[in-house]
Amino acid sequence: MASDEKKAEILKGLHDSVVEYEEEKTVEVANEAVAEGLDAFEAIMGGLAKGMETVGDLYVRQEYFVPELLLCADALYAGLEVLKPHLKAESHAEPRKIILGVVEGDIHDIGKNLVKVMFDAAGWQVFDLGADVKIERFAEEQKKCGAQVVGLSALMTTSMLAIPRIIKTLRDSDSTVRVLVGGAPLNPDIAASYGADGYADNAGEAVEQAMKMLQQA
Amino acid sequence: MGIGNDRVSMLLKGERVDMVPVFPLGIRAFAALGVGYTMGEAYSDGEKSCRAELWAQEQYGFDGFPNFAYGPFGAWEFGGEIKFPEGEFQQAPMAVRYPVISEEDVWTLRVPDDISTAGAIPIGMAHSLTAAAAGATVMTPNAGVFTTAGNLCSVQKLARWMIKKPSLAHRMLELSRDFLIGMVQLWVDTFGKDILMYNAEPSAANQVISARHFEEFVLPYSIEVHSAALRMGIKHIMTHICGDQNLNLDHWTKIPMGDPGLLTFGHEVDLHTAIEKLGESSVIMGNVEPSLIQNGHPNDLYDACRAAIKAGKGAPRGFVLMSGCGFPPKTPPYNFFTMVKAARELGKL
Ligand code: B12
């Protein structure tokens, strides 16, 4: 078992290597965490995910941009790959599930990809349907995987008109599913008028919003 | 052939105009739907696309000239694949296969031997021929050098390479630059030098990259493409500075735009700032939020036009009321009329 000091050092190492987008270093520290017998869940949440949270803040403050974020995400995923197989049964008993996709007619997928990273970092199981996703597919996939939340991204005023239609098909098929929406032309008012349960302005807030929605459910 | 006689073209010639012109950016899809064509035809049929724009101009009485540029420009031209808009929710073509997938592809990719037959170039050419025949100002149909590079390999790959493998990123930009210069040359050879070059840089927005990366990967190549166009004798370059580019504005001042240039801004950039930084050398255009144009109440839209006209009216080289980005195809016709009405009622000069 690692000493408290060693543990703190490893968590900081995971945090920093994600923030500094050093993929190899992240893998190295993740392996060290395993070797030192650190709880994998703690290493993920207290190290990698914390790092991604810092990255989210740096993005909002315009110190980091999409290129930096993508590389931080690469480091995060590399670390997750090492740590996930070591998760104890109870800590990944029932991961929360979310379906993500960019709506039909829209290929702007950078934002959705960043949202996905945040949910991955927060330990959710993410079903990513990609971009230009046909209306019916969301409900079909939701039925298959039983996701509690569906996240819809639209970056254009034309494509966002698909959102209320998707929400209707989702509600028709499962009245308990929660819908989270985001993307540049949307705002809380439009989201509400489309019948969504939540809206988030950026990837950092997305997970928080999803958690809130589930608590209200 | 040459520069037309609408109010925007008059501003380019340094002539006085009687009111703030309205020039909806990229109106072809809205125009096509308005005359019973499909959204797909607005992109796949150059002649119909241009004709629809000219008819819309006649119907609504706006200024400016037809424009064929589209977002994923470059992907098809370099051998990838795009899909034309078809369903209810699309408004533009999308790349479905990029010409560059692997790192090796970067080094084997070549600028198409015959640019005139590459991808959508023949469609763009048919569009320009239709514009020229109608006496409208002709404009090249391309995107910006950085956005085009992103369209060859995906913005996300380009973004990663910029930091981890800059030589690959620079190679993508060189290919994009050489292609664009070749394309502008083709237009000059066909229509003469009294045409406009077009440039749009959504992927260089600060929602995507930093000003530091703009300086390294957008600025030098944009200077090269614009300088080449000006050397060919083109006098004006119209550039859509898409999205939030507030941190890039000082770099944009270093890119030659012709005399005057035509700069169009999204709602993310304040018009006062745009005029202060770039208004001495370019006509400033903008910047009504597309989402408001499509979904807003006409009164709110009228107010937004009033604010834009108030902010822009005094621009030294002129101001044009414009949508902040591609004109939303599903705009209610009355909302578009509202923009024209606002300019008529509030934009008298
Ligand atoms: C980069 C870009 C492109 C790139 C896209 C590359 C890609 N693979 O994504 C390219 C060049 C290909 C492109 C093409 C086009 N584009 Co474009 N593009 C942009 C730009 C400049 C930035 C978008 C971006 O990536 N931002 C960075 C990311 C990180 O931010 P984000 O997407 O907003 O996401 C964040 C939040 O919104 C939120 N979020 C996003 N999704 C979700 C989902 C959930 C569930 C939650 C909770 C949160 C959330 O979290 C994210 C992270 O913080 C925007 C400008 C803008 N204002 O957004 C225009 C913009 C979206 N484009 C626009 C247009 C018009 C087009 C084209 C139609 C142009 C044309 N005529 O061809 C084409 C359309 C292609 C198509 N069929 O989809 C317009 C749309 C206007 C309108 N009418 O609605 C915009 C808004 C520009 C403007 N100022 O008006 N574009």
Side-chain angles (χ1 to χ4, degrees):
Chain A
M1 219 28 189
S3 67
D4 280 358
E5 207 173 301
K6 185 75 193 159
K7 188 171 128 189
E9 183 194 316
I10 290 175
L11 292 182
K12 182 169 182 316
L14 289 169
H15 170 279
D16 292 355
S17 54
V18 167
V19 174
E20 284 152 27
Y21 44 91
E22 294 194 44
E23 198 175 322
E24 279 162 28
K25 177 97 184 290
T26 315
V27 171
E28 218 173 88
V29 186
N31 278 319
E32 200 188 336
V34 174
E36 292 283 339
L38 224 79
D39 179 54
F41 184 75
E42 230 185 308
I44 291 175
M45 297 319 285
L48 297 176
K50 262 243 162 64
M52 217 50 219
E53 243 174 67
T54 305
V55 170
D57 288 344
L58 288 168
Y59 177 71
V60 170
R61 296 210 307 265
Q62 288 200 313
E63 287 179 40
Y64 270 17
F65 295 81
V66 169
E68 290 81 7
L69 254 66
L70 291 171
L71 293 174
C72 294
D74 291 347
L76 167 88
Y77 286 123
L80 281 177
E81 207 162 293
V82 176
L83 291 169
K84 267 193 168 163
H86 298 278
L87 282 173
K88 294 198 194 84
E90 76 266 23
S91 55
H92 67 150
E94 259 307 303
R96 300 184 184 87
K97 295 181 194 164
I98 183 165
I99 293 177
L100 284 176
V102 180
V103 305
E104 186 172 334
D106 203 329
I107 47 157
H108 294 92
D109 62 352
I110 300 174
K112 181 268 297 165
N113 291 345
L114 300 184
V115 171
K116 171 182 182 326
V117 175
M118 288 313 204
F119 278 99
D120 278 325
W124 288 57
Q125 192 176 353
V126 181
F127 298 83
D128 180 4
L129 306 185
D132 186 23
V133 182
K134 293 265 169 289
I135 293 188
E136 318 74 43
R137 258 202 79 201
F138 288 96
E140 285 164 19
E141 295 296 325
Q142 196 270 341
K143 212 175 225 158
K144 271 190 231 155
C145 71
Q148 300 95 328
V149 180
V150 175
L152 305 174
S153 180
L155 267 284
M156 298 192 295
T157 43
T158 330
S159 61
M160 76 183 193
L161 300 176
I163 291 179
R165 298 264 289 273
I166 298 169
I167 293 180
K168 183 170 184 312
T169 61
L170 282 166
R171 303 260 188 251
D172 286 350
S173 123
D174 176 354
S175 61
T176 66
V177 69
R178 308 260 111 192
V179 185
L180 179 64
V181 299
L186 294 161
N187 59 39
D189 294 340
I190 300 181
S193 77
Y194 284 171
D197 302 295
Y199 162 84
D201 201 45
N202 57 60
E205 284 168 22
V207 177
E208 215 176 291
Q209 267 298 326
M211 294 302 293
K212 232 187 252 167
M213 283 168 20
L214 286 185
Q215 276 153 17
Q216 283 160 4
Chain B
M1 237 186 267
I3 305 286
N5 290 312
D6 66 282
R7 288 187 186 82
V8 179
S9 299
M10 285 168 72
L11 287 175
L12 292 178
K13 293 185 255 188
E15 292 170 13
R16 272 188 60 87
V17 294
D18 57 345
M19 62 174 264
V20 167
V22 182
F23 181 2
L25 179 69
I27 197 172
R28 66 198 159 287
F30 173 85
L33 296 177
V35 300
Y37 295 155
T38 63
M39 185 92 81
E41 284 170 321
Y43 290 93
S44 65
D45 187 321
E47 194 183 325
K48 279 187 172 172
S49 163
C50 183
R51 190 163 298 146
E53 283 183 73
L54 294 166
W55 281 334
Q57 194 159 18
E58 182 189 357
Q59 180 182 357
Y60 293 95
F62 60 86
D63 288 282
F65 20 83
N67 168 358
F68 185 72
Y70 66 98
F73 182 83
W76 186 20
E77 288 67 26
F78 272 82
E81 217 178 302
I82 64 164
K83 187 168 99 180
F84 287 110
E86 45 189 28
E88 209 181 320
F89 306 106
Q90 297 185 22
Q91 72 174 69
M94 51 178 87
V96 289
R97 187 173 52 79
Y98 294 105
V100 169
I101 312 279
S102 69
E103 293 183 10
E104 293 71 51
D105 293 343
V106 174
W107 303 109
T108 54
L109 190 71
R110 294 277 171 271
V111 173
D113 288 333
D114 182 359
I115 290 177
S116 72
T117 58
I121 298 294
I123 308 172
M125 184 56 82
H127 185 277
S128 286
L129 286 166
T130 311
T137 299
V138 169
M139 186 153 64
T140 63
N142 49 290
V145 67
F146 184 78
T147 296
T148 303
N151 289 338
L152 303 183
C153 61
S154 92
V155 192
Q156 287 155 93
K157 223 170 248 166
L158 185 64
R160 285 186 167 92
W161 287 342
M162 278 164 29
I163 295 178
K164 291 275 164 166
K165 301 196 168 162
S167 63
L168 294 179
H170 281 294
R171 178 71 192 145
M172 295 310 303
L173 280 145
E174 287 162 12
L175 287 163
S176 164
R177 170 199 65 198
D178 295 347
F179 171 62
L180 292 178
I181 293 175
M183 202 208 74
V184 175
Q185 186 67 58
L186 174 66
W187 252 253
V188 170
D189 291 347
T190 311
F191 299 99
K193 56 189 173 42
D194 281 335
I195 59 170
L196 264 60
M197 187 192 115
Y198 184 68
N199 174 357
E201 280 292 15
S203 299
N206 297 131
Q207 279 119 337
V208 186
I209 65 166
S210 62
R212 193 176 67 70
H213 279 139
F214 187 101
E215 185 175 14
E216 183 178 349
F217 293 97
V218 188
L219 180 63
Y221 298 99
S222 304
I223 291 178
E224 286 182 311
V225 174
H226 285 212
S227 303
L230 296 171
R231 272 197 306 275
M232 289 174 211
I234 288 182
K235 292 193 197 72
H236 316 282
I237 296 171
M238 172 163 157
T239 299
H240 177 46
I241 299 181
C242 187
D244 174 359
Q245 302 229 11
N246 285 295
L247 304 173
N248 300 337
L249 292 181
D250 287 329
H251 292 312
W252 279 109
T253 64
K254 301 171 206 153
I255 302 172
M257 294 287 169
D259 186 25
L262 272 175
L263 296 182
T264 102
F265 293 90
H267 64 275
E268 298 92 339
V269 174
D270 179 58
L271 282 177
H272 293 104
T273 315
I275 292 168
E276 189 189 304
K277 290 195 187 283
L278 293 141
E280 287 298 333
S281 50
S282 290
V283 176
I284 301 296
M285 317 204 272
N287 66 349
V288 185
E289 184 173 356
S291 151
L292 182 68
I293 296 176
Q294 180 183 294
N295 301 308
H297 187 282
N299 292 350
D300 296 335
L301 178 57
Y302 190 86
D303 287 345
C305 293
R306 183 203 307 275
I309 291 169
K310 185 161 175 263
K313 215 170 168 180
R317 306 299 292 264
F319 172 71
V320 177
L321 184 67
M322 192 181 240
S323 42
C325 194
F327 191 83
K330 300 284 170 71
T331 299
Y334 189 78
N335 275 16
F336 182 33
F337 170 72
T338 297
M339 289 182 71
V340 177
K341 184 169 103 165
R344 282 190 190 139
E345 291 176 0
L346 310 167
K348 291 215 177 58
L349 295 170

